[in-house]
């Protein structure tokens, strides 16, 4: 065979191999098979609304954005029937995703009557309206199958078949309206937006430039972690249900103010299914039932809200020089940090070489060791006011006085 003829044959076989590898007909067949494996083919579509009808009861959930909603938890939804409220994006996304990925256990070809499948009078009708399409995608829920946890469905997109699907999907359609509603008491609130909190017991705290301080019942540095925990509780705790009774007339057990908002918590006679205490929560005009446990944070003793270390980590990070005074000995020394070491900078000369271990240990204790109590006994307070200090620590306006009580 001539070389030229051999080259032509090689190119022909290579072309045939490429066609087999990238056969457009094969690709179409695979896509068709994937579509047929689903009850609905909703890939790459966006939703406008979801409607669940059971008898005379109707729940309508609309997409809150004009461009349509995706099937994941990033979409924003609103409940428009039977009540109007923000939607629970997580719960609604679960339903939308279940519809997107709904695959039949079996697909039964039918002709005419659907009585044997319980579809003449369906238990529920589920509709999805898709952006850009006039006709909704509709599912009718029929009877339970005789074998296995499955149920029959009929769709308007394939009237020649009845689908057998797992009953977990239809169980989602039986939820009460509150399941689809927003459950956060203050849904638009973010924890880091809270800069001041007041609560029952004359407690007031305020955040300035990232630092929290108690204003009442004492003026002191606040425990930042505890304050951020209080803010998170207010921003993210969710209701267990809507309270349908009248607003309580007795005084609230706990009143919390933050910004221009107020939360009033009243004892609820019933306990949860888990046996925990519950509150009736008044957030503006709305009344909810909430678990009382998260609000235990607002019932701690004062010590829990105060910063229990003598120096904050932020102050310690700035510490490059400080002065130690010993009033009884009438001596003072200023130390300066050079690299990893502390050296004498001013004041009395130390009699012995400086112990770096003792200096670092002292500074670490100011930051790491927690205060065990804030004595209120008159004896301790009088002693602190009258007795001379054993040690005074001074750093850029941060003054600490150390006195040994009951030697």
């Amino acid at each position: 065979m001539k070389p030229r003829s051999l080259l032509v044959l090689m190119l022909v076989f290579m072309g045939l191999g490429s066609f087999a590898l990238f056969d457009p007909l094969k690709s179409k067949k695979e896509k068709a098979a994937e579509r047929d494996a689903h009850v609905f083919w909703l890939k790459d579509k966006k939703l406008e609304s979801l409607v669940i009808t059971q008898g005379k009861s109707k729940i309508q959930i609309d997409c809150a954005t004009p461009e349509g909603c995706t099937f994941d938890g990033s979409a924003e939804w609103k409940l428009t029937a039977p009540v109007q409220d923000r939607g629970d994006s997580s719960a609604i996304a679960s339903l939308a995703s279940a519809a997107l990925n709904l695959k039949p256990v079996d697909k039964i070809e039918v002709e005419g009557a659907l009585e044997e499948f319980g579809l003449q009078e369906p238990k529920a009708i589920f509709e999805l309206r898709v952006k850009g399409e006039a006709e909704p995608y509709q599912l009718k829920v029929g009877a339970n199958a005789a074998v296995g946890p499955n149920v029959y469905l009929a769709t308007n997109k394939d009237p020649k078949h009845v689908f057998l699907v797992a009953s977990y999907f239809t169980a989602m359609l039986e939820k009460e309206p509150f399941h689809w509603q927003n459950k956060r008491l203050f849904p638009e609130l973010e924890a880091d937006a809270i800069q001041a909190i007041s609560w029952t017991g004359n407690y007031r705290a305020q955040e300035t430039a990232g630092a929290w301080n108690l204003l009442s019942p004492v003026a002191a540095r606040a425990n930042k972690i505890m304050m951020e925990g209080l803010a998170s509780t207010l921003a993210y705790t969710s209701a267990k249900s809507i309270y349908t009774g009248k607003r309580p007339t007795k005084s609230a057990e706990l009143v919390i103010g933050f910004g221009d908002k107020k939360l009033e918590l009243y004892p609820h006679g019933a306990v949860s299914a888990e046996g925990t205490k519950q509150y009736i929560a008044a957030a503006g005009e709305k009344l909810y039932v909430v678990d009382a446990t998260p609000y235990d944070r607002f019932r701690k003793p004062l010590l829990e809200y105060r910063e229990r270390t003598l120096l904050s980590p932020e102050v310690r990070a700035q510490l490059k020089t400080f002065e130690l005074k010993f009033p009884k000995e009438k001596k003072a020394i200023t130390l300066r940090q050079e690299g990893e070491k502390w050296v004498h900078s001013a004041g009395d000369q130390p009699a012995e070489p400086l112990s770096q271990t003792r200096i670092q240990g002292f500074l670490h204790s100011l930051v790491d060791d927690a205060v065990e109590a804030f004595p209120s006994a008159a004896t301790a307070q009088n002693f602190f006011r009258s007795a001379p200090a054993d040690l005074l620590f001074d750093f850029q306006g941060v003054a600490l006085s150390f006195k040994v009580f009951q030697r």
Side-chain angles (χ1 to χ4, degrees):
M1 185 179 292
K2 294 182 180 180
R4 183 175 179 180
S5 300
L6 181 62
L7 178 61
V8 170
L9 285 173
M10 288 176 64
L11 292 173
V12 169
F13 282 120
M14 288 175 65
L16 290 173
S18 299
F19 181 81
L21 184 62
F22 301 106
D23 181 0
L25 295 177
K26 182 180 178 182
S27 177
K28 288 182 179 179
K29 289 177 181 178
E30 289 175 347
K31 289 181 179 179
E34 186 181 2
R35 283 196 299 269
D36 291 341
H38 292 76
V39 174
F40 283 144
W41 186 243
L42 297 165
K43 187 178 180 181
D44 300 326
K45 298 182 184 295
K46 289 191 175 182
L47 293 167
E48 288 186 338
S49 68
L50 307 171
V51 180
I52 304 168
T53 305
Q54 290 180 296
K56 295 182 179 180
S57 172
K58 177 182 176 181
I59 297 173
Q60 180 159 340
I61 306 164
D62 292 340
C63 180
T65 52
E67 64 271 16
C69 286
T70 56
F71 288 79
D72 56 29
S74 64
E76 293 185 19
W77 296 90
K78 57 185 178 181
L79 199 70
T80 54
V83 296
Q84 294 190 1
D85 197 356
R86 292 168 66 104
D88 184 326
S89 293
S90 177
I92 296 167
S94 295
L95 176 61
S97 178
L100 173 70
N101 298 296
L102 186 61
K103 295 183 179 181
V105 176
D106 195 7
K107 187 175 180 180
I108 305 161
E109 190 170 351
V110 294
E111 292 182 6
L114 300 175
E115 289 91 339
E116 65 177 298
F117 303 105
L119 289 161
Q120 287 295 95
E121 296 183 5
K123 292 188 291 186
I125 299 175
F126 179 46
E127 286 189 352
L128 304 92
R129 288 198 172 274
V130 172
K131 187 74 175 175
E133 297 185 24
E135 184 183 26
Y137 290 71
Q138 186 184 82
L139 283 177
K140 292 182 178 180
V141 180
N144 293 331
V147 180
N150 302 310
V151 65
Y152 294 108
L153 296 181
T155 86
N156 61 332
K157 296 296 183 180
D158 188 356
K160 294 184 178 180
H161 291 92
V162 166
F163 297 89
L164 189 65
V165 302
S167 57
Y168 81 88
F169 174 77
T170 57
M172 298 177 73
L173 306 179
E174 298 171 3
K175 302 291 185 182
E176 295 294 323
F178 182 70
H179 179 76
W180 311 111
Q181 284 179 250
N182 156 68
K183 296 171 184 64
R184 285 176 56 187
L185 273 59
F186 302 97
E188 297 179 357
L189 181 67
E190 297 297 331
D192 56 9
I194 298 176
Q195 297 181 319
I197 309 174
S198 63
W199 64 101
T200 300
N202 192 32
Y203 286 98
R204 290 190 300 124
Q206 185 170 321
E207 184 263 339
T208 305
W212 279 91
N213 292 286
L214 278 173
L215 306 180
S216 178
V218 296
R221 285 189 300 124
N223 184 317
K224 184 177 180 180
I225 294 175
M226 177 62 80
M227 293 300 113
E228 290 178 346
L230 298 183
S232 293
T233 297
L234 295 170
Y236 304 121
T237 52
S238 299
K240 298 178 74 69
S241 64
I242 299 292
Y243 183 71
T244 56
K246 293 182 179 180
R247 193 183 188 99
T249 55
K250 294 182 179 180
S251 298
E253 186 174 304
L254 185 60
V255 179
I256 307 168
F258 47 104
D260 59 350
K261 297 178 174 60
K262 183 169 71 170
L263 178 63
E264 298 172 294
L265 298 168
Y266 301 87
H268 188 21
V271 297
S272 69
E274 297 78 21
T276 57
K277 180 181 176 181
Q278 295 180 319
Y279 278 130
I280 299 169
E285 295 301 317
K286 294 185 178 181
L287 299 177
Y288 304 91
V289 176
V290 299
D291 183 3
T293 303
Y295 298 97
D296 288 345
R297 286 178 169 175
F298 292 89
R299 297 192 167 281
K300 301 291 184 182
L302 176 60
L303 181 64
E304 297 293 323
Y305 301 119
R306 293 186 63 169
E307 178 56 67
R308 295 173 62 184
T309 58
L310 298 176
L311 279 189
S312 68
E314 292 79 10
V315 172
R316 172 64 183 91
Q318 301 174 29
L319 191 64
K320 302 300 179 185
T321 179
F322 63 89
E323 183 182 32
L324 297 175
K325 296 180 181 179
F326 304 89
K328 292 182 179 180
E329 290 81 9
K330 297 182 179 179
K331 291 186 177 182
I333 183 172
T334 300
L335 302 180
R336 183 182 73 253
Q337 188 174 23
E338 290 186 357
E340 298 296 323
K341 291 186 176 182
W342 289 91
V343 299
H344 174 266
S345 175
D348 295 292
Q349 283 286 349
E352 299 177 1
L354 294 173
S355 170
Q356 299 298 317
T357 302
R358 292 180 66 182
I359 295 171
Q360 294 290 3
F362 171 68
L363 294 176
H364 282 308
S365 70
L366 298 182
V367 178
D368 298 333
D369 292 351
V371 172
E372 295 182 4
F374 294 93
S376 58
T379 304
Q381 292 184 3
N382 290 335
F383 169 81
F384 189 81
R385 293 191 187 97
S386 60
D390 292 281
L391 171 64
L392 293 173
F393 171 91
D394 187 20
F395 160 68
Q396 293 185 0
V398 177
L400 300 174
S401 176
F402 296 88
K403 302 179 183 183
V404 180
F405 179 60
Q406 294 181 342
R407 296 175 183 269

